[in-house]
Amino acid sequence: METKRTSSKEIIAYLAEKFPACFSIEGAAKPLKIGIFQDLAEQLSEDETVSKTRLRQALRHYTSSWRYLKSIKVGSHRVDLAGNNAEAIDEAQAEYAAKTLKESQDKFANKKQQDNKDKKPYKGKKNNNAQAAGDNKRSQKFKAVKSPTKRAPKPAVELKPVESTTIKVNQQVKVRIGQAPMNATITEVAGDDISVQLDSGMVIKTHIQNIFSE
């Protein structure tokens, strides 16, 4: 018996392999025919490695990606599993896709900007002119003999393991990759297997023990 495919990434890769004229994992995506889920459910009805629930989640993940949203343009045609043209995309559909793409990109940019602000070191109050002048003289006087000072190491960020009962999609978390924790957003929860999207846009799969909250 084959192992079930549980992550969206695994299922999308499988669909791209089985229906290459319809799905892809890189390059330009093709708009999918309305009702493609039912077509897939019928085609994969005997395939025990993909459940309908996981298939629906994978399709939602695929069609919400920036790569896919960029493909929804007026005049383009949706395709069926064989790659044949289906419905043409109208202006309303194109506008909705463009709006969704912009909102997603703005949210990502704002989060990245906020994260960069949070990383800025604390700056104390500036000295007044007289004190600054005095400090400058003392600095010049002892410059030749003063030994370099070592910066105190930054305190480690305290990470709290997340509770498996509270973890959910779209939750903002920290994911440990190697030694350094990174900001991420949960995109899929499959038991102890968690898929997250990093600030760089990369989607990776990890385990719940690597997911933390500050």
Side-chain angles (χ1 to χ4, degrees):
M1 182 177 178
E2 294 186 68
T3 304
K4 279 186 174 287
R5 297 175 172 86
T6 57
S7 74
S8 293
K9 184 177 180 181
E10 290 176 327
I11 294 174
I12 291 170
Y14 176 60
L15 294 179
E17 179 183 349
K18 195 170 183 67
F19 308 104
C22 183
F23 292 91
S24 65
I25 56 176
E26 59 183 15
K30 295 179 181 179
L32 301 179
K33 166 194 170 186
I34 303 297
I36 197 76
F37 173 76
Q38 293 301 328
D39 294 346
L40 284 169
E42 292 177 6
Q43 288 287 332
L44 303 176
S45 59
E46 303 298 324
D47 192 331
E48 297 181 357
T49 67
V50 180
S51 70
K52 287 186 177 181
T53 299
R54 297 300 182 194
L55 177 61
R56 193 183 298 277
Q57 291 176 346
L59 281 177
R60 190 180 301 117
H61 187 82
Y62 186 79
T63 56
S64 64
S65 68
W66 293 0
R67 188 170 66 93
Y68 181 84
L69 291 172
K70 290 177 181 178
S71 72
I72 309 299
K73 298 178 180 179
V74 176
S76 298
H77 282 79
R78 298 178 181 275
V79 298
D80 61 15
L81 295 179
N84 299 317
N85 285 347
E87 309 93 346
I89 294 173
D90 59 29
E91 187 173 348
Q93 293 171 344
E95 287 180 355
Y96 179 79
K99 178 182 177 183
T100 303
L101 175 62
K102 185 177 185 305
E103 289 176 349
S104 178
Q105 290 176 331
D106 288 347
K107 181 179 179 181
F108 176 79
N110 291 337
K111 185 177 183 302
K112 188 173 183 179
Q113 184 179 22
Q114 185 60 46
D115 289 342
N116 289 336
K117 287 182 180 179
D118 293 342
K119 293 176 183 177
K120 286 185 178 180
Y122 170 75
K123 295 182 179 180
K125 293 182 179 179
K126 293 183 179 180
N127 298 324
N128 57 38
N129 292 338
Q131 184 179 352
D135 290 345
N136 185 53
K137 288 180 180 179
R138 286 191 293 272
S139 176
Q140 292 296 328
K141 182 177 179 180
F142 295 104
K143 185 175 181 180
V145 296
K146 190 177 180 181
S147 59
T149 57
K150 294 183 179 179
R151 292 185 178 179
K154 292 183 179 180
V157 177
E158 183 178 353
L159 300 176
K160 300 177 182 178
V162 297
E163 296 290 339
S164 59
T165 55
T166 61
I167 199 166
K168 58 185 179 180
V169 173
N170 293 328
Q171 182 177 348
Q172 305 296 315
V173 295
K174 292 280 189 181
V175 59
R176 184 168 57 198
I177 302 176
Q179 297 299 321
M182 303 179 69
N183 294 315
T185 303
I186 295 176
T187 59
E188 182 182 356
V189 179
D192 289 339
D193 293 328
I194 312 295
S195 294
V196 299
Q197 184 175 35
L198 304 179
D199 284 352
S200 63
M202 179 184 295
V203 176
I204 63 171
K205 181 180 179 182
T206 186
H207 296 287
I208 192 170
Q209 59 263 35
N210 295 325
I211 304 296
F212 302 88
S213 61
E214 291 192 22

